[in-house]
């Protein structure tokens, strides 16, 4: 009898276990525009957004990294200790911090020299805070995902980043959370709780579609799902809905990994040769480099009612 059970296990249960492992997925969560990006600028709100977002991240055990705009840490010329305190709470939650330039400069709109100055000016306080924890700054994220309008600029910037011990943080799960966030902020300002709920529900439905889209696009390009890097922002809507996004990912069998772990995927060794004025996913950059026909046509769109409720409504 025992042997029969053993054979049964090997023949049926074991392949199922292997199959289940095969469907495991990996994702690194990166959060931009720290300490907070919202039209709601008072300190109390910023503290509340940070507290709620970090509570969700900690509860879901997500080893996230936050990308900082240090320009938000000053009051005129003076350091703003309250804003700096918001960053400290990221480090106290055992999360990593990276550089996102001092004042969110667009590489397509400034000289390379100015951009490099922005990177150096944008690392001072973050480096000090990381040093208190015995850590070093390691990653850089381009604002707007604009990475340069020529290969020469890209190469020069890449060299500069290397000299300063930075690794570029690409994005492979791109989305428009900032449009939802803008609509959500505005609905809050109008005290329209019903609209806030509708935006929140549409937000989660949109992310389900986004995850499905990028998973298919990865298989379309590589014949497999790579370790993804998700871009989100430190905004109001994520402070209310990050736990739902995390649950959606867990339901899809994702394991949360660090950016360092995600970057071990071979896909990220491919060069980024994209030189247009667009901030697009690295999956699209690689598809374009491979020739036409690799980009799936059905990239999810933000619902019209959300766009109309946001600052991105067309005039
Ligand atoms: Zn940004």
């Amino acid at each position: 009898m025992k042997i029969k059970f053993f054979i049964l296990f090997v023949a049926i249960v074991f392949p199922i276990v292997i199959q289940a492992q095969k469907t495991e997925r990996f994702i690194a969560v990166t959060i931009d525009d720290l300490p907070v990006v919202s039209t709601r600028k008072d300190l109390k709100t910023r503290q509340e957004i940070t507290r709620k977002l970090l509570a969700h991240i900690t509860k879901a055990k997500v080893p996230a990294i936050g990308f900082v705009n240090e320009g938000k840490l000053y009051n005129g010329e003076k350091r703003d200790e309250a804003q700096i305190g918001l960053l400290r709470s990221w480090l106290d939650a055992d999360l990593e911090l990276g550089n996102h330039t001092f004042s969110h400069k667009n590489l397509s709109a400034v000289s390379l020299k100015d951009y490099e100055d922005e990177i150096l000016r944008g690392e001072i306080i973050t480096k000090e805070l990381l040093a208190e924890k015995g850590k070093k700054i390691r990653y850089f994220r381009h604002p707007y995902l604009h990475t340069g309008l020529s290969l020469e600029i890209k190469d020069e910037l890449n060299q500069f980043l290397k000299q300063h011990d930075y690794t570029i943080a690409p994005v492979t799960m791109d989305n428009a959370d900032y449009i939802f966030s803008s609509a959500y902020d505005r609905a809050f300002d109008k005290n329209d709780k019903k609209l806030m709920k509708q935006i929140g529900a549409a937000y989660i439905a949109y992310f389900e579609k986004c995850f499905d889209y990028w998973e298919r696009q990865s298989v379309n390009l590589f014949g497999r799902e790579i370790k993804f890097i998700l871009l989100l922002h430190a905004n109001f809507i994520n402070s209310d809905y990050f736990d739902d996004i995390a649950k959606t990912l867990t339901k899809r069998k994702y394991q949360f990994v660090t950016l360092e772990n995600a970057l071990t995927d071979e896909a990220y060794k491919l060069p980024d040769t994209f030189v247009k004025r667009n901030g697009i996913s690295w999956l699209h950059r690689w598809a374009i480099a491979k020739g036409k026909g690799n980009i799936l046509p059905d990239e999810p769109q933000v619902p019209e009612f959300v766009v109309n409720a946001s600052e991105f409504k067309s005039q």
Side-chain angles (χ1 to χ4, degrees):
M1 276 306 265
K2 270 183 187 167
I3 289 170
K4 257 189 186 171
F5 273 122
F6 179 72
I7 291 167
L8 209 67
F9 177 80
V10 172
I12 298 169
V13 181
F14 194 60
I16 290 171
V17 171
I18 295 287
Q19 194 57 40
Q21 280 174 351
K22 269 187 187 164
T23 58
E24 259 176 15
R25 294 159 157 169
F26 300 92
I27 192 163
V29 175
T30 66
I31 302 187
D32 284 11
D33 300 6
L34 264 58
V36 170
V37 55
S38 170
T39 50
R40 303 174 60 210
K41 298 207 183 295
D42 62 288
L43 178 64
K44 216 173 142 229
T45 299
R46 291 185 165 243
Q47 286 169 331
E48 181 75 359
I49 288 175
T50 303
R51 187 188 62 72
K52 281 163 72 181
L53 185 57
L54 289 178
H56 289 317
I57 290 171
T58 307
K59 194 174 160 220
K61 297 192 171 62
V62 180
I65 176 168
F67 285 92
V68 181
N69 298 128
E70 287 200 8
K72 294 174 180 171
L73 307 178
Y74 290 83
N75 203 339
E77 293 290 297
K78 268 181 66 185
R79 291 184 182 207
D80 185 332
E81 287 305 325
Q83 300 290 339
I84 294 170
L86 298 176
L87 273 198
R88 260 206 188 90
S89 45
W90 281 74
L91 293 175
D92 290 342
D94 215 18
L95 302 171
E96 183 151 11
L97 295 176
N99 188 335
H100 195 40
T101 76
F102 183 79
S103 59
H104 211 270
K105 278 277 163 10
N106 185 339
L107 180 53
S108 306
V110 297
S111 71
L112 185 58
K113 175 79 183 62
D114 286 350
Y115 197 76
E116 289 172 352
D117 287 347
E118 275 273 321
I119 293 170
L120 297 180
R121 211 173 149 212
E123 68 180 14
I124 297 166
I125 296 173
T126 311
K127 271 189 166 176
E128 285 174 17
L129 297 180
L130 284 164
E132 285 172 15
K133 301 273 181 189
K135 292 178 179 172
K136 286 191 166 154
I137 197 159
R138 301 195 287 166
Y139 296 102
F140 174 74
R141 159 81 38 82
H142 305 81
Y144 310 99
L145 306 184
H146 279 222
T147 52
L149 293 174
S150 71
L151 289 178
E152 291 72 36
I153 288 177
K154 281 173 103 98
D155 285 348
E156 267 189 59
L157 179 61
N158 288 351
Q159 265 181 19
F160 174 88
L161 289 169
K162 217 180 242 172
Q163 278 163 12
H164 292 85
D165 295 323
Y166 281 109
T167 299
I168 291 172
V171 173
T172 40
M173 281 267 190
D174 194 20
N175 59 82
D177 75 327
Y178 57 96
I179 299 178
F180 284 89
S181 181
S182 168
Y184 199 68
D185 278 353
R186 286 184 169 204
F188 178 86
D189 288 341
K190 288 184 197 150
N191 199 24
D192 191 340
K193 294 208 169 75
K194 193 175 156 213
L195 180 58
M196 285 175 80
K197 273 221 160 96
Q198 287 168 342
I199 294 166
Y203 191 51
I204 299 308
Y206 166 83
F207 265 104
E208 287 265 15
K209 285 188 203 152
C210 280
F211 297 142
D212 176 68
Y213 175 82
W214 293 115
E215 287 154 7
R216 283 186 290 113
Q217 176 62 346
S218 175
V219 172
N220 180 37
L221 266 185
F222 296 110
R224 67 185 177 91
E225 289 181 22
I226 61 166
K227 291 184 173 184
F228 292 101
I229 301 173
L230 171 67
L231 166 62
L232 293 173
H233 290 86
N235 56 31
F236 182 29
I237 196 164
N238 285 328
S239 78
D240 278 348
Y241 283 91
F242 181 80
D243 59 339
D244 292 289
I245 294 174
K247 272 183 212 153
T248 305
L249 286 165
T250 306
K251 249 197 292 174
R252 298 179 85 87
K253 295 210 182 330
Y254 276 96
Q255 280 185 30
F256 297 109
V257 295
T258 59
L259 177 58
E260 183 179 23
N261 179 313
L263 287 173
T264 60
D265 193 303
E266 290 290 308
Y268 295 103
K269 288 196 179 132
L270 284 173
D272 161 30
T273 52
F274 185 71
V275 286
K276 290 211 172 117
R277 205 178 287 270
N278 277 329
I280 58 171
S281 161
W282 266 246
L283 277 171
H284 282 349
R285 291 165 196 241
W286 297 324
I288 290 164
K290 274 182 145 192
K292 282 178 187 167
N294 281 316
I295 295 181
L296 298 178
D298 55 338
E299 191 169 341
Q301 300 297 309
V302 178
E304 212 175 313
F305 86 91
V306 178
V307 178
N308 287 338
S310 80
E311 70 195 276
F312 301 96
K313 181 186 175 177
S314 52
Q315 308 303 319

